[in-house]
Amino acid sequence: MNRTKLVFFGGSKGGVGKSATSHLACLGAILCNQPAAYVLTDPDRQIRDKGRPYDVLDGRQPKQLASILDASRSTPDGWLIIDGGGNRPAFDLAIADEVDLCVFPFRPSHEDMDTVSTDMDRIANALAWPTAWPTNIFAIPTAQSFINRLSKKYPSRVINKPIPFVNSASDLLAESLDSPSPPVRRLARRVFGIMEAQFERSVKSVKRRAAS
Ligand SMILES: Nc1ncnc2c1ncn2[C@@H]1O[C@H](COP(=O)(O)OP(=O)(O)OP(=O)(O)O)[C@@H](O)[C@H]1O
Ligand SMILES: [Mg+2]
């Protein structure tokens, strides 16, 4: 039976792009004519639902989140995108068990490497996704070396299509998202496309593992 696909953007480090990428994924889904809802789980953040073409759900309390997850099990289609919060390893571990795909955004820094490695060791099937990635040709080689190092340590667990740094990405976290700029819309479609392809790949590999 088809049901809503559950994706969690998490990880212990703050400010890596969990929220921006969650909103991009939802916007991208809508632009590709697929239903999507965003779930806020960080009790330190405010609900920002104005102007958004997708549902914004309040999962900041465990009870609220549990009922959102319950409802998703009887929803036949679309995407439920769950936005984590920094420094909540126990929460990440628990939610990783509930979702179909668990993704940790990371940026090109040594600190991010350390944190994302610890998170990936803790959550076996989680993937890492390079986020807000440099597009300047002088910065690309160094940034790529971080991807290479992580991919070597965690084969097949690093999404090898970085989400580029886009100036107007901050629009995604603004009070209202009435008319996203063309670069944000383009980025949203791209993020959704990569996430959807990765989702298919992950589902197939889970099926393969179950059959073997
Ligand atoms: N692809 C991108 N291009 C440019 N800027 C980005 C991109 N993704 C995220 N950012 C910016 O990085 C900053 C941090 O992003 P965001 O708030 O999504 O991180 P977070 O992991 O959710 O942080 P927290 O742990 O505090 O919740 C924001 O200012 C956001 O606009
Ligand atoms: Mg956030």
Side-chain angles (χ1 to χ4, degrees), residues 27 48-54 175-180:
L27 180 61
R48 299 220 193 285
D49 55 355
K50 283 200 202 102
R52 285 170 165 78
Y54 43 86
E175 195 64 42
S176 170
L177 186 68
D178 279 320
S179 50

Side-chain angles (χ1 to χ4, degrees), residues 19 45 83-84:
S19 301
R45 295 290 145 90
D83 179 12

Side-chain angles (χ1 to χ4, degrees), residues 8-19 22 41-42 82-93 95-96 102-106 112 114-120 122-123 126-129:
F8 172 56
F9 288 101
S12 302
K13 189 144 184 294
V16 288
K18 298 178 288 291
S19 301
S22 299
T41 67
D42 188 341
I82 303 165
D83 179 12
N87 207 15
R88 294 191 303 168
F91 176 89
D92 286 8
L93 192 59
I95 197 88
C102 176
V103 182
F104 298 142
F106 70 98
D112 280 47
D114 293 345
T115 320
V116 81
S117 298
T118 308
D119 288 338
M120 288 174 89
R122 201 181 297 121
I123 298 176
L127 304 177
W129 198 353

